[in-house]
Amino acid sequence: MFDDLQRIAVVGMFDGVHSGHRYLLDQLRLQAAERSLKPLVITFTNHPLSVIAPDKAPRLLTLPLEKAALIRREGFLGDEILLLPFDEKLRSTSAAGFLGMLRGRFDCAALLMGFNNRFGHDAPGDFASYKQLAANAGIELIQARELPAREGVSSSEIRRLIAAGEVADAAALLGRPYTLTGTVVRGKALGRTLGFPTANLHTPSTLILPAPGVYAATATIAPPLFPSIVASRQASSKAELSYPAMVNIGSRPTVDDPGAPLSVEAHIIGLPEGTTLYDCRLTLSFVDRLRSERRFASLEALRAQLLLDRAAALEALSGKV
C-alpha cells in the first residue's frame, strides 16, 4: 500500500553525505511523515560540472553506490533513492521542465528545496519564483531549514581539507572518517624487503586523494577472506575484518624516480604473515595525518622512520579498531 503513495523529493549531489546533508535528509523524513508521502532522494551519479564545465569538475568524496549506501544508513530504503545521471538533456532542462518531470515521471506531490539549492538551466533567482513554478506543476515547494552553525559544512570545504591532508578536520565535517575504497593490486614489493609489506590500492580516478604524506587509518578487508585471516581472528561469521594501518600516499621519493605517479600503499598492522590480498576490496578510513612525505638518505633511514610511523599510527588509532 505504501508504494501507492505519492512522493516528496529532495534533489542534490549529496557528495560525501556530510552532516549538512544528513540534516536535510532528516527534514525530508519528517516532512514525508507529516504529509503521508513517500520520501525520494534524487542524487546525481556524476557532478554537474563534469558536463557543464569539465575543466572545473572536482574530484569526488564518494562513488555513486557508496553514496547510496550512506543514504540508506540514514534510514532510507533502496527504492527511496534514485541515482540520476547528469547528462546534456538534464543540463538543458529548465526549472519548469524539471519540476514537470518530478510530477509526471516520479509522481512527486512535494519538493523539499535546500536553502542554497538551484536547479534548471534558467535557475530562477529566488525561492518565490521556484514556488510559483512548482505550483504550476502541481507540486508543493517546501523551503528546508538551514543547518544551525553550518559555517564550513560543505562538500567543497571537505574536499579542500582532504586535499590539504587535514583528514581529522574533514572527518569532523563529514561526521565520520574520510574513506577510500579500491582493489589491491601488485606493486614492487619493496615494503616487504624493509619488513613493512604494503597493500597497493587502485582507486577510481574520480575520487579525491589526501595530500601526499603518511596517515593513520583503519583498513577494512571485504570478502572473499582468506582462511588464514579468518582463523587468526576467529571471525568466520563476520563479513569484513578491520585492522590498524599506516598509509603512505605519494611518489615514494626514496625508492622511485622523480615524477613517479602517486600511489596509495597501506601497511596493515597485525595482518597474518604471508597473507596475500591481491584483488581484494580494501577500504581505508583516514583518522589522522602523521607526517609529510620526504626523501630519506638510505633505505635503513627509511626503515627507522617507518618504525616510528607504526608506533604513531597505533597510538592515533588506539580504541578505534
Side-chain angles (χ1 to χ4, degrees):
M1 191 68 173
F2 188 59
D3 286 341
D4 294 332
L5 294 176
Q6 290 185 307
R7 297 175 182 266
I8 176 172
V10 67
V11 182
M13 187 62 201
F14 290 99
D15 189 28
V17 194
H18 57 61
S19 55
H21 294 143
R22 294 195 297 277
Y23 185 71
L24 182 60
L25 293 173
D26 285 344
Q27 293 180 62
L28 176 65
R29 190 184 301 106
L30 290 172
Q31 294 287 351
E34 286 179 7
R35 289 165 170 77
S36 297
L37 298 174
K38 185 171 183 177
L40 178 63
V41 182
I42 300 176
T43 183
F44 303 119
T45 58
N46 55 307
H47 199 285
L49 284 177
S50 67
V51 175
I52 298 170
D55 58 323
K56 296 180 180 179
R59 291 199 173 192
L60 301 177
L61 301 169
T62 44
L63 296 172
L65 292 181
E66 292 173 338
K67 182 165 54 174
L70 289 168
I71 295 171
R72 284 198 302 272
R73 194 180 297 177
E74 297 305 309
F76 294 89
L77 302 176
D79 66 348
E80 295 171 351
I81 304 166
L82 175 65
L83 296 174
L84 190 67
F86 191 94
D87 54 18
E88 285 292 346
K89 181 178 179 181
L90 197 56
R91 175 189 182 180
S92 63
T93 301
S94 66
F98 187 78
L99 288 161
M101 179 189 71
L102 293 181
R103 183 61 176 166
R105 183 175 171 186
F106 302 114
D107 199 19
C108 290
L111 174 66
L112 179 66
M113 188 170 174
F115 69 94
N116 62 352
N117 188 226
R118 295 289 182 272
F119 58 84
H121 74 79
D122 49 351
D126 55 61
F127 180 75
S129 298
Y130 277 106
K131 191 166 186 176
Q132 183 59 58
L133 291 174
N136 294 342
I139 293 176
E140 178 189 6
L141 192 64
I142 305 161
Q143 178 76 73
R145 297 189 306 276
E146 183 176 353
L147 176 67
R150 66 163 298 278
E151 184 176 355
V153 183
S154 69
S155 298
S156 296
E157 175 61 11
I158 293 168
R159 293 187 200 106
R160 186 194 68 78
L161 290 170
I162 291 170
E166 299 174 28
V167 295
D169 290 339
L173 298 185
L174 278 169
R176 65 180 183 283
Y178 176 62
T179 62
L180 274 179
T181 298
T183 303
V184 178
V185 297
R186 294 184 181 275
K188 296 182 178 180
L190 292 174
R192 194 174 301 277
T193 66
L194 296 171
F196 290 86
T198 60
N200 295 269
L201 193 66
H202 174 72
T203 61
S205 60
T206 53
L207 291 178
I208 191 168
L209 293 179
V214 179
Y215 295 84
T218 60
T220 302
I221 306 166
L225 299 175
F226 289 84
S228 61
I229 303 178
V230 174
S232 69
R233 294 288 295 271
Q234 296 180 341
S236 58
S237 63
K238 293 183 66 175
E240 298 179 329
L241 293 175
S242 293
Y243 293 87
M246 62 181 192
V247 180
N248 184 82
I249 297 177
S251 55
R252 309 192 307 175
T254 304
V255 297
D256 280 344
D257 295 331
L262 289 182
S263 63
V264 180
E265 299 176 288
H267 172 63
I268 302 174
I269 303 168
L271 195 66
E273 187 175 352
T275 299
T276 301
L277 296 179
Y278 297 134
D279 299 324
C280 279
R281 194 173 82 250
L282 182 67
T283 297
L284 301 175
S285 300
F286 292 85
V287 173
D288 204 1
R289 189 171 196 252
L290 302 178
R291 64 174 174 86
S292 60
E293 187 182 48
R294 63 180 186 271
R295 186 180 186 281
F296 292 88
S298 66
L299 291 180
E300 189 54 39
L302 172 58
R303 184 178 185 280
Q305 180 61 55
L306 292 175
L307 288 168
L308 296 175
D309 292 340
R310 180 163 61 187
L314 286 172
E315 182 177 354
L317 295 166
S318 177
K320 298 182 185 298
V321 184

